[in-house]
Each structure stands twice: as structure tokens, then as C-alpha cells.
Amino acid sequence: MAESTTQQVLDVRAGLAHALGAAQSALDAARHRHLAAVERRNRVAAAAEAQKVRLAVERDTRLRDIDHQHHDDLAALAGAAADAGRRGAPGAAGAPWPDWAPTPGVPASELRVGRLLLPYEGEVPALVPLLDRGHVVVRGDPAVGDDVVAGLLLRALGTAPPGTVRLTGYDPEQLGGGLAGFAGLATAGVLTFAGPGALGALLDELVDHVRRINETVLAGEHPSLRELAAATGRRPEPWRVAVLLGGGRGDEVGRRERGQLDRLLRTGAACGVHLVLRGIAVGEAPAGVEVIDAARDSAARLSGCGDLPVRLDGGPPAALLTATSRRIAEQVAAGPHPVALDTLLPDEEWREHSANGLSAPLGDGPHGNQVTVTLSDYPPHALIAGPSGTGKTNLIYAWIGALAARYSPAELAFYLLDFKEGVSFARFAPGRRDPSWLPHVRLVGVNVNTDREFGLALLRFLGGELRRRADAAKRHEVTNLAELRAEDPDGHWPRIVAVVDEFQVLLAGRDALAAEAVDLLEDLARRGRSQGIHLILASQDVSGIEALWGRPALVAQFSLRIALPRARRILAETNPAADALPRFHAVVNADSGAFEANRVVRVPAAGDRDQWSALQHRLWRRRPPELSAPRLFDGDAVPRLADSPDFARLAPASTVATPVVLLGETIDVAARSARTVLRRAPGRNLAVLGTRVDEACAVLGTAARALAAQYAPGAARFSVACLDSDAAAAVDALRPHLPGDTGWYGPDSVGWLLDDAAAAADADLTADRPHFLFLYAVDAAPGGPRTAELLRRILRQGPERRIHIVGWWRGAALLRETLGGQGSRTDAIGAWVALDVHGSELAPYYPGAGAPVWYPRPWRALHFDRSVHRGAEVIIPYGAP
């Protein structure tokens, strides 16, 4: 039992010990878990705190990034707004006043009035639309408003070409003083004023202007002048800006004026009419009206900018405003720059036919449409007039270019003559720098101010062409060029246009030349119209040409009149249209100058050499291969024998029936050489008269070279005697051009030559070969009366023995002494060339009782051959080889 109890106690104790141990283990495990849990809690708490810190840092970083991005976005927006402002108002439209200058070639859609006050850095201009876009109403502070108006107007003037913005001021309170800074514009008509009480008339005039633009300019084809200019590249009307400065009272605008104002606010901008109102109340502003609430500092507002504050610019500096107005006025007075020559050219060249006339644009009219000018049966001929510097030559260039581009050389031929001391038409002929020429040009005459004979020669040539065409018309039983071309399609019948610049030189004086020129002009003007020959006569001033105005029938044929600025008497006496023309403009009138027929045209800059060269080279490359270069007559150039077609045709032969002496170039349309034939007949000698050594030697040298070119070696005998030391150089220069067996003589040996020639002249038999004696300064030959007698025998009897003298006498009287003195016969000299000898001295050698009309001119001579000439002809001696 006891053992059982003990055992039980022991078991109990063991069980308790075991339970205690298990409990202790459980407690230890629980404590361990507790410690682990606390540690985990502490770790979680620490991690949570660390995460909170990281989140705070990340939040702060993101907030800073957002702030930076917002700042950058605002800066980019500010830059974009500033760039947009600069693009919308470039140059004079947006530049601050310290840097401001007119930029008329830089278009602007808006104008600066100040700057927007935005809450970030960067200046953004405050802009308002005006030209072609709307109207401006200025309210608020009157002084600030005046500055805004002045700035707007100056910027508008500075962005447009001079004269294309026209201002009209209405300022009853200050009587124009509100626009005083622009007073300089009034002298050129850019600024006009409407006086007190004239507001209604001004608004009526502007409304009528809008109506006219809609009806005649836009004509339903374009919604506005802006679209018309974009489509055509030309703006046909200036902008009209009416500046209405009121006193702020509503009673100054009546019901009728209010209605007109409303009409202009609705429809004016499309037609280039704009209102700038300050102190005149308007109702609810329609679309296109910018309202400016003018105030100082940052209290100003623009209706187009919402509630953004605006700091308005101050007014332009007075000195800048005055200087700019004066400069614009000067530019307007000088006239607008012309458009390019290309505006006159067709899309396809040489597509027109001239059977019924010639039509081509001369430039743009006031509405932008081209003004076409026609030469036909009516009007057949044209008169052009304009003082020096008004663009007469430029207008002729433009007309020639427009015609040449439309009509081929088979349809049109030009004959161009310029009596000025210049080379205006030389560009149409081949030159040293440019070998091209205008294919239509058949003749160019320049520097002919002293050679009126060339103008007469042109008229004679045209008269001959008129007879040729009239004869052809008779053969084909037709009456005009169009019918002739239809009946003779294989014939060459282009229309001819003869342009004579400064034609009054040809008609100057009361001499036979002017009388014949007027007669020829009248015949050409009267009959040329039906045969396709048209005359264009140009002059600086036609009012004093008695020869022209004394022939009413002649003047009446020139029904096409073109008047340049300040041209006199070209239009009807009651037609003052030319008095107010700007530069590069002309009045074209096809009804003899009647006022109702006026058409104003802006002429392109056709004189620009680069533009003209491009056109001429293009047409020249298309020329027909058989077309030859035009005849160029330059009154200042000395012709060369080597260039003479007549000299080029000479060929050596063993026998020559009629030896030809070339002397110089005739003043005529063809480049013809003046000639004298030294046939076997009495009087076939040539005398050169005058004291000009160079010219006399040139004539004798030309004659010798021409004769030498006709004979084979040994077929003719040549003898040269130099009796004046001043001619020695010219004689030496002649040696290479004469045969090797030529005899050369001086004062000591000339006697032998004359003895031999006189003996041959007295012989019964004709010489086996011709003998030509070239005597330089015959009157200086030694030997006195005996030498004179030998010369007379040779002169009188030699030609029938084929012995001819080509001699130079240093005066007409000295030749008379050689021939035997006063009362002696002069028929031994069958031909002569007079240099510095007056016509009265030539009477003994001239047929009839009179004397030729001749006044010596440098490097000109008078040639007469009694066997062929009715009257003497003016020639130009050939120069040195």
C-alpha cells in the first residue's frame, strides 16, 4: 500500500515534474515567441516608419518635378506666345519704339499696342488686327488713347509700301491737332482732313467707296481685297483708314451717321476701309472690331485678350513720327516702284497673229487689270510725250517687250531710231558684250542727234515699203493688210512698227530736210494704216513742234496718245490727267486725248537690263535660221571699210569696165557705201575738199583700197603722191594695201609723175591699162603755173585715156585755182567730197544756180557725183583699217 502510495507520490511527482518541465518549456517557448513577435513588431514599425520617410521624400521630389515641369511649360507657352506675337507683328508692326523703323516689305497681320502682363517671365506683345482685318475702337483715358491711335497709325504706315495706306482724319475738337505729328503726309495726299460738320459727308464717301470696290473690283469673284491680292499677287486699291477723333459725346453722331458707321464696321474691312475711333461711342461691337480700354499702368484691357491685364506702349517719339511722315511723303511723291517686266509677258510666246492689228498690255490699271494697247486701222499711230526722267524710254521698252513676246518676227518688224545723245536702243542689236539681238528688229539707229539725214532715210525707206505693199494690194485686188495676207499667204507681210524717239530733232528748223520729212510723215500716217505700217513718235515736249502742229491732218492720224507725268499738249487742252500722275505711270488715250478716253496705267520696270536680257536671249534662241542681224547705225561710231558689204563683194579681175571708188558709208537704212564710178568718160575724176587731214586721208585711202581690190596684179597702175607732211603717216599705212609696183612720190618727184601722166593724156592712143593718181594736198604741189597746167590737162583729157585723178585740195577755192581761176569750167571734176567746206563755197561745182545746204560736221562729208545725183548726199568716211 505504502509502496503504492509512494509509487503514486513518485508518479505524481514525476508527473508534476514532467508537467512542470513541459510548462517551463511551453513558457520558454511562449517567451521566445513573444520576443520574436516583439522583434517582428519593432521591425514592422521601423519598416513602416522608413516607408513613411521614403514616401515623403518621393512626394516632395514629385512635387518639385511638377513645379519644375509647370515652370518649364509656362516658359514654353510664354516663348510660343512671344514667337506668335513676333510672327503676327514682324518688323515695324511689332518693334519697340527705340528699335523701330519702317519695314514696307514685311507684311503683318496685327499691330502692337503694348504688352500682356502675365504671371511669368517673358514679354508677350499685345496685338490688335487692322489692315484687311478689322477696325479699332479706343475708349477710356483720352491722352492714353491718343498715344494708342498714333502708334497704330505709324505702325500701319510703316508696314505697307509708301502710299498704299491713305489716312483721313476727323478731329473736330482739336481741329486736326490730334494728328499733328502726321502733318508731313498731307503734302503727298496720304493724309486728308474732314472739317467739323463733315463727318456725314466723309462716311458717305467711304460707303460709296466700299460699294465701288464690291461692284467693280471684287465683282463677285473674291470675297475681299485680301483674297484678291493673294490670288493675283497685286493689290489694286490702297487701304483707306478713317481716324475719327470725337469728344466723347454721343450727340455728335446722328442717326444717319450712325447707320453709315454701322455699315462700314460690318463691310468696310473686306474692301480695305478701316475705322479707328477714339471718343466716338459705338453700340455692341460686331465681329472684327477690337475694343481697347485705354488706361495707365496695368489697368488697360483688350477685347481680344479677355481679362488679361495690358500695359499699353507710350506714343511714338515725336521726332520719329515727323521724320517717318516726311520720308513716306517723299517716297509717295517720287512714285511707287514699278512691277516687273514679266507681268506683261504671255504664258505662251509668239502665238498671236498680226493680220488685224497688234495688241499687248502696257501695264496695270488702277484696279489691277492689265491695260491693253492696240495698233490697227484705228488707232494706227501713237504719240508719246513726257519730260526727261518720267520714264519715256522705259515705257517704250515695255511696249516693245510685250509685243515681241506675243508676235513672231514673221508677224512684226521693228525699226528703232533714237535722236538723243545716247544708246537707248543699242541693246536690241548685237554688241561686243552681248551678241544677241531682238529678232523682230530690222534697224537700230542711235546717237543720231546730228544726223537728221538718217531719220529722213528711214522715212524714205518706209515710203518705199508702203509703195511695195500698195502695189501688191492692187495686184491682188485688196485694200488692206489683212486681205493681202489672206490672198497671199506665202508672202512676207509683217506689220511694221517704226519708233522714233525725240522725233522733234528731225523736224527742227525750216529747211528742205524738215519739209520733206513732214511730207513723208503725213503720207505714211495717212496711208500706212491700211498697209500695216505704224508710227510711234516720242518726245520730251511736243508743244513746240511747229512742223507737226501746222499739219492738222497729220496730227489727227496719231489718235493714240500716251502722256507721262507732266506731259504737255499731248492730250486735249481740257484734259489735265497727266499733271498729277506719279512716277512709272502714264495716261493711255486712244481718242486723240479726249478726257473720257483716259486710262491710267502703271508701267513695269522694263529697263532693267537683267530682265530684258532674259527675254531677249529667250526670243533670240528661237529666231528663224535665215534671219539676219539688224542694221545698227551709231552716229558716234566710225565705220570701217573692212565691214562694208560692198567692199567685201569686190574681186580682182584683169579688166574692169567700170572701176568703182568707195568713199564712205551713206546715211541710210542699208549699210551702203557711197561710190563714184571712174569710167572712161570726161570728168571722171574725184576731188576731196577741206582742211581736215585725217578725214581727207581716210577718203583717199578708202578709194585706193577699193580700186586695188578690183584689179589683178599688174592690171592697173597706181601712183601716190604725198605733198603734205601731215599726211605722210596715212600714206605709209596705205602701202600694204596697194600693189607692189605702185609708184610713191613726194614734192621732189611729183613733177615726173605729172609730166608722164599729162603726156599719156595727150596721146592719141588709150593707155593699155588704167592709171589712178592719188594726190595728197594737190594745191601744195611745187612748180606753180606749169604744174597747174599739167593737172588741168590730166583732169580734162585723162579720163578718156583711162587716167583718173583722185586728189585732195585743201579748200574749194584752191581747186578753182587749179582749174584756171574764176570763170573757168569745173566739169573736169565729175565728183567731189566736201569736208569742212561750207555749202556756199561749193556753188561752182553744183548744178543750177544755188548751192547745197551744208554745214560742216565732225567726221561727216558731202558727196556729189554729177553723173548720178540730183542733190548731194551726206556720208561718213571710213576710218582706219
Side-chain angles (χ1 to χ4, degrees):
M1 188 78 169
E3 287 183 7
S4 302
T5 303
T6 302
Q7 188 62 37
Q8 291 178 346
V9 170
L10 289 172
D11 290 339
V12 170
R13 287 181 177 173
L16 290 174
H18 177 76
L20 180 62
Q24 186 64 46
S25 297
L27 177 62
D28 291 341
R31 287 176 177 170
H32 180 72
R33 288 193 299 272
H34 172 71
L35 291 174
V38 169
E39 186 177 354
R40 283 196 305 273
R41 184 199 63 187
N42 291 338
R43 286 199 305 271
V44 170
E49 188 64 28
Q51 184 68 12
K52 185 187 299 184
V53 171
R54 284 196 301 273
L55 290 174
V57 170
E58 185 173 351
R59 178 201 62 200
D60 293 343
T61 300
R62 292 294 296 163
L63 287 175
R64 284 195 301 272
D65 290 343
I66 292 172
D67 288 341
H68 290 158
Q69 185 64 43
H70 180 63
H71 182 273
D72 292 343
D73 290 344
L74 290 179
L77 290 173
D83 289 341
R86 285 190 290 270
R87 289 192 300 271
W97 296 126
D99 305 322
W100 192 88
T103 55
V106 181
S109 59
E110 296 180 289
L111 305 175
R112 172 180 171 136
V113 293
R115 62 187 179 90
L116 298 176
L117 298 177
L118 301 178
Y120 46 82
E121 296 181 359
E123 178 175 296
V124 177
L127 308 178
V128 298
L130 185 61
L131 300 183
D132 274 338
R133 285 168 172 80
H135 315 275
V136 176
V137 175
V138 182
R139 304 186 302 207
D141 189 320
V144 177
D146 283 343
D147 287 345
V148 171
V149 170
L152 274 175
L153 297 181
L154 185 59
R155 292 187 185 280
L157 290 166
T159 57
T164 58
V165 173
R166 304 278 173 161
L167 305 181
T168 302
Y170 172 73
D171 188 11
E173 294 294 320
Q174 302 185 58
L175 299 179
L179 298 173
F182 297 93
L185 299 171
T187 59
V190 178
L191 172 64
T192 57
F193 285 98
L199 178 61
L202 170 61
L203 296 177
D204 290 344
E205 191 270 329
L206 293 175
V207 169
D208 285 342
H209 180 75
V210 171
R211 178 186 53 77
R212 180 183 67 82
I213 295 297
N214 278 319
E215 292 178 357
T216 64
V217 180
L218 300 177
E221 296 183 10
H222 300 278
S224 68
L225 288 178
R226 180 174 65 180
E227 280 79 2
L228 172 61
T232 63
R234 300 187 302 270
R235 184 177 182 85
E237 292 282 341
W239 289 279
R240 296 283 303 274
V241 180
V243 186
L244 310 183
L245 306 179
R249 303 188 307 273
D251 56 356
E252 61 198 51
V253 181
R255 175 182 296 178
R256 188 173 185 281
E257 288 83 359
R258 179 69 60 190
Q260 298 291 63
L261 265 179
D262 292 342
R263 292 186 182 93
L264 291 173
L265 290 173
R266 290 195 312 272
T267 64
C271 298
V273 175
H274 305 277
L275 302 180
V276 176
L277 310 178
R278 200 271 296 146
I280 294 181
V282 297
E284 183 178 353
V289 177
E290 184 78 25
V291 178
I292 302 176
D293 289 308
R296 300 186 184 279
D297 298 328
S298 59
R301 295 293 186 274
L302 303 183
S303 61
C305 297
D307 198 40
L308 289 175
V310 176
R311 187 182 299 278
L312 297 173
D313 292 334
L320 177 64
L321 180 56
T322 302
T324 303
S325 298
R326 182 173 60 250
R327 184 165 57 251
I328 291 175
E330 292 172 352
Q331 293 171 332
V332 171
H337 291 292
V339 295
L341 174 63
D342 292 347
T343 60
L344 298 185
L345 305 183
D347 295 333
E348 294 186 65
E349 295 168 345
W350 292 5
R351 301 287 293 178
E352 304 294 329
H353 299 284
S354 64
N356 294 305
L358 298 166
S359 295
L362 199 54
D364 292 343
H367 299 154
N369 300 321
Q370 288 189 326
V371 175
T372 299
V373 180
T374 299
L375 289 173
S376 60
D377 286 352
Y378 191 88
H381 312 293
L383 278 177
I384 302 173
S388 177
T390 56
K392 177 164 53 65
T393 300
N394 179 74
L395 183 143
I396 294 173
Y397 284 165
W399 201 353
I400 289 175
L403 287 171
R406 282 167 173 77
Y407 299 94
S408 71
E411 300 286 333
L412 170 64
F414 284 115
Y415 292 81
L416 310 175
L417 185 58
D418 186 359
F419 274 103
K420 294 195 302 293
E421 294 185 12
V423 290
S424 299
F425 294 150
R427 64 173 58 184
F428 303 122
R432 291 189 303 272
R433 292 188 304 172
D434 186 354
S436 74
W437 68 86
L438 191 64
H440 310 70
V441 175
R442 310 279 20 101
L443 169 74
V444 174
V446 296
N447 291 317
V448 293
N449 53 302
T450 61
D451 291 312
R452 297 166 62 215
E453 296 85 359
F454 191 77
L456 183 61
L458 173 60
L459 296 181
R460 288 171 177 168
F461 170 82
L462 294 175
E465 178 64 18
L466 176 60
R467 288 189 295 273
R468 187 178 76 88
R469 294 185 174 209
D471 291 342
K474 290 178 182 178
R475 289 195 306 271
H476 289 87
E477 299 180 349
V478 296
T479 59
N480 58 43
L481 183 68
E483 295 174 352
L484 176 59
R485 290 181 56 165
E487 291 294 325
D488 185 20
D490 296 329
H492 182 63
W493 307 110
R495 285 194 179 263
I496 291 176
V497 176
V499 183
V500 184
D501 197 6
E502 302 303 338
F503 74 98
Q504 75 280 356
V505 174
L506 176 61
L507 306 182
R510 299 175 179 270
D511 54 10
L513 191 152
E516 183 181 355
V518 172
D519 290 340
L520 288 170
L521 266 178
E522 186 167 4
D523 184 54
L524 284 168
R526 181 171 49 84
R527 299 195 298 138
R529 66 166 69 215
S530 61
Q531 303 303 333
I533 298 177
H534 307 281
L535 303 174
I536 299 176
L537 305 184
S539 176
Q540 293 186 21
D541 185 2
V542 300
S543 61
I545 305 175
E546 297 179 7
L548 184 63
W549 297 113
R551 300 281 189 104
L554 170 59
V555 178
Q557 300 298 328
F558 290 83
S559 52
L560 178 57
R561 310 287 177 83
I562 301 178
L564 292 155
R566 303 183 304 282
R568 296 176 56 197
R569 203 171 173 187
I570 186 72
L571 303 176
E573 293 184 2
T574 57
N575 187 353
D579 296 341
L581 282 178
R583 190 176 58 157
F584 294 111
H585 284 66
V587 175
V588 176
N589 189 301
D591 193 17
S592 299
F595 181 80
E596 297 77 10
N598 285 347
R599 290 183 295 165
V600 177
V601 57
R602 181 173 63 154
V603 183
D608 182 87
R609 181 168 291 276
D610 291 338
Q611 291 188 26
W612 182 266
S613 294
L615 171 63
Q616 179 163 304
H617 280 84
R618 189 166 65 248
L619 299 181
W620 181 65
R621 288 190 291 269
R622 295 185 59 187
R623 73 192 187 280
E626 70 277 4
L627 193 65
S628 59
R631 153 87 156 121
L632 173 62
F633 176 83
D634 185 349
D636 285 350
V638 176
R640 298 172 64 249
L641 179 63
D643 298 330
S644 166
D646 291 321
F647 181 70
R649 284 191 288 267
L650 298 179
S654 57
T655 59
V656 181
T658 54
V660 176
V661 174
L662 302 185
L663 303 170
E665 188 176 274
T666 58
I667 300 180
D668 63 2
V669 172
R672 181 174 58 87
S673 295
R675 60 176 59 203
T676 286
V677 176
L678 297 184
R679 66 174 62 88
R680 182 183 172 186
R684 290 292 85 197
N685 301 294
L686 175 70
V688 179
L689 308 175
T691 61
R692 294 176 182 156
V693 178
D694 291 344
E695 297 176 23
C697 292
V699 175
L700 263 67
T702 296
R705 292 178 60 194
L707 286 169
Q710 298 170 60
Y711 287 92
R717 179 182 174 188
F718 292 85
S719 299
V720 180
C722 180
L723 307 176
D724 185 340
S725 59
D726 290 341
V731 171
D732 288 340
L734 184 61
R735 290 177 182 269
H737 302 282
L738 296 186
D741 60 350
T742 299
W744 303 91
Y745 303 88
D748 296 336
S749 57
V750 69
W752 303 338
L753 171 64
L754 297 180
D755 284 337
D756 178 60
D762 291 337
D764 294 333
L765 298 177
T766 302
D768 59 347
R769 59 175 181 164
H771 185 189
F772 302 106
L773 286 72
F774 298 92
L775 308 180
Y776 289 73
V778 181
D779 53 276
R786 182 179 181 280
T787 298
E789 175 59 26
L790 292 174
L791 286 168
R792 283 193 292 272
R793 287 162 55 191
I794 300 169
L795 288 169
R796 289 175 180 150
Q797 299 163 210
E800 291 189 79
R801 303 292 186 270
R802 301 172 71 186
I803 303 170
H804 308 274
I805 287 181
V806 179
W808 163 38
W809 280 264
R810 295 174 297 184
L814 295 174
L815 172 60
R816 194 65 184 273
E817 292 178 7
T818 299
L819 295 175
Q822 295 294 328
S824 62
R825 296 178 60 181
T826 61
D827 55 357
I829 300 297
W832 47 261
V833 175
L835 302 173
D836 55 339
V837 177
H838 283 272
S840 59
E841 302 177 64
L842 299 171
Y845 315 100
Y846 203 65
V853 178
W854 172 244
Y855 301 98
R857 309 199 299 263
W859 210 265
R860 296 294 184 272
L862 194 67
H863 171 227
F864 177 74
D865 187 333
R866 66 174 66 245
S867 68
V868 295
H869 290 156
R870 295 178 57 188
E873 63 176 355
V874 180
I875 68 172
I876 307 174
Y878 288 116

